[in-house]
C-alpha cells in the first residue's frame, strides 16, 4: 500500500525512524513523506522515499495558516489516496490527524511529547487538548512514548480507547553498539546533546559548566546540537564567549554523535519535557552513565542510582549537585554504571519493538 507520513522535521524522521521506513519499503509499500523543506530532505530521498515539501512554522499558532495546513493535508491525502497515514509531532498530529479523519483514511498518531503549551495549563492548554481529542478520535492507534503522557491525556479525554505505548523511538542496538568506558587520565568529560533552546535546559547546563569548571580542574563540558533559530541570538554569543574562555567545547550539529559520545564519560540531559529522549537511549546504549531531568521521558532511560542520577528541572543547583555526586564516584563505578545502562536498554528499548508495533497496526487494517 501507499503509506503517507506527516512530520515537521526531516532529520528527526531520518535519525530515529529510518529503520521503520526501510522496513515498510522492504515489505513492498510505497512511502511518501510530507515535511517542511530543508537541507535534511535529501537524506530521506536517498533512502528511496518520495517527498512532498509542505512548508509550515513548527512553532506558534496562527489560525489562518494552521487551517491552510489542514486543508493542504486534506488535499494531499485525496490526491495520493494512501492506505495509511502516520503522523508525528504536534501540528501534523492535529491537522494531519483531522485531515485523515475527514477523508476516512486509516491513520496512526504518535505523540512524541506534550510540550510546554499543554503542560503549563491555561486556555491554550485546554484548546490544544480539545483539538487533540477531536483529531485523534478516529485514529487506529494513538502512540504515546511514556506512561505519564498517556495518563495525562487520557485523564482529559484524549485517546481513551485507542492509546498505545511505545518505548520512544527505540534504539538500533547494532548501529549504536556498546563502547568501553574511556580513560579519565586526561580529565572527565560531561556531554549534552540537545537542541539549543530554553526548553532543553541549555541555560542551566551552561551555568553549571561555568560553576563546576571553576571548582574542578579536571572536568570538561561538551555540547552538541543545532540552534533553535528563534533563540539563536540569545545563546550563540554566550556559547562563543564560554568557548573563548575554555569553559565549554561546542561541536556544532552532528548527524553522527556516536564518536563524541564514546569519548565522553557522562551524558547530561537537562530538558524540561520529553516524550522519550532519543539522546538518553543512545547514551545508555553506548554505555555511558546519565544525568537527566527528573521527568517522564527521561527517567525511563535509566535505572535510578544504578545507571544514572536525576535532578530537578529548571534548577541549576540541583544539576550541579548531581554532577558533584557523579564526580564523587570512582572511575570504575562510573564505568559500571554505563554497563548497567546498556543492559537496561537491551531489555526494554530495542527499536525492533517499535517497528513491530507499527507493522501490527498495518496488518490489522489490511485484514479488516
Amino acid at each position: 500500500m501507499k503509506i503517507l507520513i506527516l512530520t515537521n522535521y526531516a532529520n528527526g524522521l531520518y535519525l530515529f525512524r529510518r529503520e521503520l521506513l526501510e522496513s515498510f519499503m522492504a515489505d513492498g509499500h510505497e512511502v511518501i513523506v510530507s515535511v517542511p523543506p530543508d537541507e535534511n530532505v535529501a537524506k530521506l530521498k536517498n533512502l528511496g522515499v518520495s517527498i512532498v515539501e509542505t512548508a509550515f512554522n513548527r512553532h506558534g499558532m496562527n489560525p489562518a495558516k494552521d487551517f491552510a495546513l489542514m486543508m493542504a493535508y486534506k488535499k494531499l491525502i485525496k490526491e495520493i489516496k494512501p492506505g495509511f497515514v502516520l503522523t508525528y509531532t504536534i501540528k501534523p498530529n492535529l491537522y494531519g490527524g483531522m485531515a485523515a479523519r475527514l477523508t476516512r483514511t486509516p491513520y496512526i498518531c504518535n505523540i512524541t511529547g506534550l510540550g510546554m503549551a499543554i503542560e503549563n495549563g491555561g486556555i491554550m492548554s485546554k484548546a490544544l487538548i480539545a483539538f487533540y481529542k477531536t483529531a485523534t478520535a478516529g485514529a487506529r492507534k494513538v502512540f504515546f512514548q511514556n506512561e505519564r503522557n498517556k495518563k495525562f491525556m487520557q485523564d482529559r479525554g484524549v485517546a481513551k480507547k485507542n492509546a498505545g505505548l511505545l518505548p520512544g523511538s527505540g534504539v538500533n542496538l547494532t548501529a549504536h553498539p556498546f563502547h568501553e568506558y574511556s580513560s579519565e587520565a586526561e580529565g572527565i568529560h560531561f556531554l549534552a546533546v540537545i537542541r539549543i533552546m530554553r526548553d532543553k535546559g541549555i541555560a542551566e547546563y551552561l551555568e553549571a559548566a561555568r560553576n563546576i569548571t571553576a571548582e574542578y580542574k579536571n572536568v570538561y563540558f561538551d555540547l552538541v546540537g543545532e540552534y533553535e533559530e528563534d533563540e539563536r541570538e540569545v545563546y550563540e554569543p554566550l556559547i562563543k564567549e564560554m568557548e573563548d574562555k575554555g569553559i565549554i567545547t561546542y561541536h556544532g550539529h552532528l548527524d553522527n554523535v556516536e564518536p563524541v559520545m564514546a569519548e565522553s564519560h557522562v551524558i547530561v540531559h537537562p530538558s524540561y519535557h520529553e516524550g522519550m529522549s532519543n539522546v538518553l537511549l543512545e547514551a545508555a546504549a553506548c554505555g555511558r552513565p546519565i544525568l537527566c531531568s527528573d521527568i517522564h521521558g527521561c527517567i525511563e532511560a535509566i535505572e535510578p542510582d544504578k545507571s544514572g542520577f536525576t535532578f530537578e528541572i529548571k534548577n541549576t543547583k540541583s544539576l550541579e549537585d548531581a554532577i558533584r555526586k557523579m564526580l564523587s564516584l570512582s572511575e570504575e563505578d562510573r564505568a559500571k554504571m554505563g554497563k548497567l545502562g546498556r543492559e537496561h536498554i537491551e531489555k526494554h528499548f530495542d527499536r525492533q519493538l517499535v517497528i513491530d508495533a507499527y507493522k501490527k497496526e498495518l496488518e490489522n487494517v489490511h485484514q479488516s
Side-chain angles (χ1 to χ4, degrees):
M1 70 174 80
K2 290 181 180 179
I3 299 174
L4 174 62
I5 297 176
L6 311 178
T7 189
N8 72 358
Y9 184 45
N11 207 40
L13 192 67
Y14 176 79
L15 291 176
F16 306 121
R17 297 177 177 89
R18 179 173 69 253
E19 294 87 354
L20 180 63
L21 306 187
E22 290 172 338
S23 176
F24 288 155
M25 290 186 288
D27 288 342
H29 302 303
E30 180 184 353
V31 178
I32 304 111
V33 175
S34 168
V35 64
D38 67 13
E39 67 277 7
N40 297 298
V41 167
K43 300 172 188 174
L44 294 174
K45 289 181 178 178
N46 289 338
L47 292 179
V49 307
S50 300
I51 298 293
V52 177
E53 295 186 349
T54 306
F56 61 89
N57 187 348
R58 294 189 295 151
H59 304 288
M61 297 187 72
N62 180 307
K65 290 183 179 179
D66 291 342
F67 179 75
L69 176 61
M70 185 179 73
M71 297 308 292
Y73 280 149
K74 187 178 177 183
K75 180 182 178 184
L76 180 60
I77 291 170
K78 286 185 174 181
E79 289 176 352
I80 292 176
K81 295 182 174 59
F84 227 113
V85 174
L86 310 182
T87 70
Y88 296 93
T89 65
I90 294 176
K91 289 191 176 183
N93 280 336
L94 293 176
Y95 304 109
M98 186 63 74
R101 184 181 179 188
L102 290 172
T103 57
R104 299 182 182 277
T105 306
Y107 65 107
I108 296 174
C109 299
N110 189 317
I111 298 179
T112 55
L114 301 184
M116 297 307 291
I118 288 179
E119 299 266 19
N120 287 339
I123 295 174
M124 178 63 76
S125 176
K126 290 179 180 178
L128 285 171
I129 289 169
F131 199 167
Y132 256 122
K133 186 175 181 180
T134 302
T136 61
R140 295 294 179 126
K141 190 70 72 177
V142 180
F143 283 127
F144 292 87
Q145 299 200 355
N146 68 68
E147 187 62 47
R148 186 262 176 187
N149 284 2
K150 177 171 169 278
K151 184 177 186 304
F152 181 96
M153 294 297 265
Q154 286 191 312
D155 286 349
R156 289 155 181 79
V158 178
K160 290 184 73 69
K161 296 182 179 180
N162 57 351
L165 192 63
L166 292 176
S169 299
V171 181
N172 183 327
L173 295 171
T174 302
H176 296 280
F178 174 81
H179 291 269
E180 289 295 337
Y181 193 75
S182 301
S183 169
E184 296 178 355
E186 296 183 4
I188 303 171
H189 284 261
F190 289 79
L191 168 68
V193 182
I194 55 177
R195 195 166 180 84
I196 300 174
M197 58 188 293
R198 181 182 65 88
D199 284 5
K200 293 300 182 182
I202 182 62
E204 290 81 2
Y205 183 68
L206 295 177
E207 184 62 22
R210 189 188 302 276
N211 295 336
I212 294 294
T213 52
E215 185 177 342
Y216 295 84
K217 299 307 178 186
N218 67 329
V219 177
Y220 304 91
F221 287 83
D222 294 83
L223 175 65
V224 171
E226 60 185 320
Y227 289 97
E228 186 67 31
E229 284 304 321
D230 294 347
E231 301 183 39
R232 178 186 286 269
E233 64 181 22
V234 176
Y235 294 112
E236 191 170 34
L238 177 58
I239 289 171
K240 180 66 167 62
E241 175 196 340
M242 294 180 72
E243 273 200 290
D244 291 343
K245 292 180 178 179
I247 297 171
I248 201 160
T249 300
Y250 176 51
H251 300 270
H253 168 69
L254 300 175
D255 277 348
N256 181 16
V257 72
E258 192 95 9
V260 177
M261 195 172 278
E263 291 174 3
S264 300
H265 301 100
V266 181
I267 308 304
V268 183
H269 201 65
S271 180
Y272 295 179
H273 55 85
E274 293 285 342
M276 180 64 70
S277 169
N278 290 300
V279 168
L280 292 183
L281 298 185
E282 292 179 4
C286 182
R288 295 299 172 265
I290 287 168
L291 298 178
C292 66
S293 302
D294 188 13
I295 58 170
H296 285 280
C298 289
I299 58 176
E300 290 83 356
I302 70 168
E303 290 187 280
D305 298 330
K306 292 183 179 180
S307 63
F309 302 129
T310 64
F311 52 86
E312 295 178 12
I313 65 168
K314 307 179 185 180
N315 188 328
T316 302
K317 181 180 182 302
S318 181
L319 169 56
E320 291 174 5
D321 287 345
I323 292 172
R324 294 187 186 97
K325 187 176 181 180
M326 185 65 75
L327 290 171
S328 72
L329 301 176
S330 68
E331 180 174 347
E332 291 74 19
D333 285 340
R334 284 188 284 271
K336 183 179 178 181
M337 291 184 84
K339 290 180 179 178
L340 290 174
R342 172 70 187 197
E343 292 174 6
H344 180 65
I345 295 302
E346 289 177 347
K347 290 178 183 177
H348 302 289
F349 290 94
D350 190 333
R351 186 163 287 172
Q352 190 60 45
L353 297 171
V354 177
I355 295 172
D356 291 345
Y358 270 98
K359 291 174 80 167
K360 179 181 177 181
E361 294 303 320
L362 266 63
E363 289 168 5
N364 288 344
V365 168
H366 184 68
Q367 293 169 2
S368 62

